[in-house]
Amino acid sequence: CLASCHTREKVLYFQDLNTTEAIQTQALKTLCLAPGDKIGVTVTSATTPELAMRYNLTQGTGSSSTQNPDNQRYTIDENGNIDLLGIGRVQVSGLTRAQAATKIQEIFRNGFINDAVVTVAAYNQYINVLGEVAKPGRIEIKRDNLTILEAISMAGDLTIYGRRDMIRVLRQEGNATKTYFVDLRSKDIFNSPVYNLQQNDIIYVKPLKSVKDADATKRSSVITTVISALSTVSSITLAFVYAGVIGSR
């Protein structure tokens, strides 16, 4: 029992979270655009739609412009700028997608298209999940935010051989890469600096120290599953027996 309980402590998530407990968690943080990201900029106008079309990369006449999506997108350069068609260089790095759209829209309304409406879509944003997960690899970020729990779920969760207590997250901050650690067994993860992920973050799940530990964890997981299944079967059997006794009276 001691070995089994000790092994369960290595596997179960959020062990210090009570069933009815409400905890303070940080708000979802919207991703900011960064060098290397690609963005699509769409300009529309109700009064001068033909003029607005001239500022859209999607309106190119060459066959390659319609076949290759990258030809319809701007790549943010190392200085955080894009070279906006018909406008010139615009700084967008460090802005959210919505903030970038507002900034570009104001530029257009200042002497180009008075009623311009600008939308910005973000592309080429990824995080990487490595180590003891079911599906390691690169994960595309398809919305404005992504948490570490969502990323681990998208990677198929940890394998039974992965350490839950020391998930490493590598993040580029300026000219240095900073390392953070999170513990899936604790509710503290909800207030970790890396709970909200950023593009290019790397999540690494370490394996357990030894094959012996891993096998013990796996056996405990199997035993727990079997006991749960047997308990369910027993409950169903007793229910039928009880129903039969009542029915025979």
Side-chain angles (χ1 to χ4, degrees):
C1 179
L2 291 176
S4 176
C5 293
H6 177 68
T7 303
R8 284 170 59 83
E9 289 177 357
K10 297 181 180 180
V11 176
L12 298 180
Y13 295 176
F14 317 128
Q15 296 176 27
D16 55 353
L17 182 62
N18 297 326
T19 305
T20 59
E21 181 182 5
I23 61 173
Q24 293 293 324
T25 60
Q26 57 183 295
L28 294 177
K29 185 177 179 181
T30 302
L31 286 172
C32 291
L33 299 172
D37 290 354
K38 294 181 183 292
I39 62 172
V41 179
T42 303
V43 185
T44 59
S45 168
T47 58
T48 55
E50 296 83 4
L51 177 60
M53 284 184 181
R54 301 177 188 176
Y55 296 98
N56 290 302
L57 292 178
T58 54
Q59 301 301 322
T61 56
S63 59
S64 62
S65 65
T66 57
Q67 294 176 358
N68 187 354
D70 280 346
N71 289 337
Q72 303 169 11
R73 300 168 184 168
Y74 297 96
T75 300
I76 302 175
D77 66 22
E78 64 276 9
N79 297 314
N81 302 312
I82 60 169
D83 193 7
L84 194 61
L85 180 65
I87 301 296
R89 191 163 294 178
V90 179
Q91 177 87 24
V92 295
S93 180
L95 302 178
T96 66
R97 186 177 56 83
Q99 290 170 340
T102 299
K103 180 176 182 177
I104 296 171
Q105 181 171 283
E106 289 175 352
I107 293 173
F108 274 103
R109 290 188 176 186
N110 187 22
F112 292 91
I113 304 174
N114 292 333
D115 66 337
V117 176
V118 174
T119 57
V120 171
Y123 304 93
N124 203 44
Q125 295 178 322
Y126 300 91
I127 58 103
N128 291 280
V129 184
L130 308 174
E132 289 295 338
V133 292
K135 297 181 292 184
R138 188 169 71 163
I139 294 175
E140 184 177 6
I141 303 173
K142 296 184 177 181
R143 66 184 200 208
D144 287 337
N145 50 64
L146 182 69
T147 70
I148 187 170
L149 295 177
E150 290 172 320
I152 290 174
S153 177
M154 294 167 72
D157 202 358
L158 276 65
T159 70
I160 201 65
Y161 303 105
R163 286 191 63 174
R164 272 73 175 158
D165 63 331
M166 195 176 290
I167 309 295
R168 180 175 298 177
V169 180
L170 305 177
R171 172 172 293 173
Q172 186 76 23
E173 296 183 359
N175 295 323
T177 299
K178 190 170 181 179
T179 301
Y180 296 87
F181 292 95
V182 296
D183 185 350
L184 291 177
R185 305 173 309 166
S186 171
K187 62 186 178 183
D188 291 342
I189 189 173
F190 292 103
N191 288 294
S192 166
V194 290
Y195 176 70
N196 286 291
L197 295 177
Q198 299 177 9
Q199 60 269 54
N200 304 316
D201 281 351
I202 300 173
I203 301 172
Y204 173 63
V205 180
K206 294 179 63 175
L208 294 171
K209 292 181 180 180
S210 67
V211 175
K212 182 178 179 180
D213 285 345
D215 288 341
T217 302
K218 187 174 183 179
R219 284 195 301 271
S220 175
S221 177
V222 172
I223 291 170
T224 301
T225 302
V226 170
I227 291 174
S228 177
L230 290 175
S231 177
T232 302
V233 171
S234 297
S235 298
I236 294 173
T237 302
L238 288 173
F240 276 112
V241 170
Y242 182 75
V245 170
I246 296 298
S248 65
R249 291 182 177 180

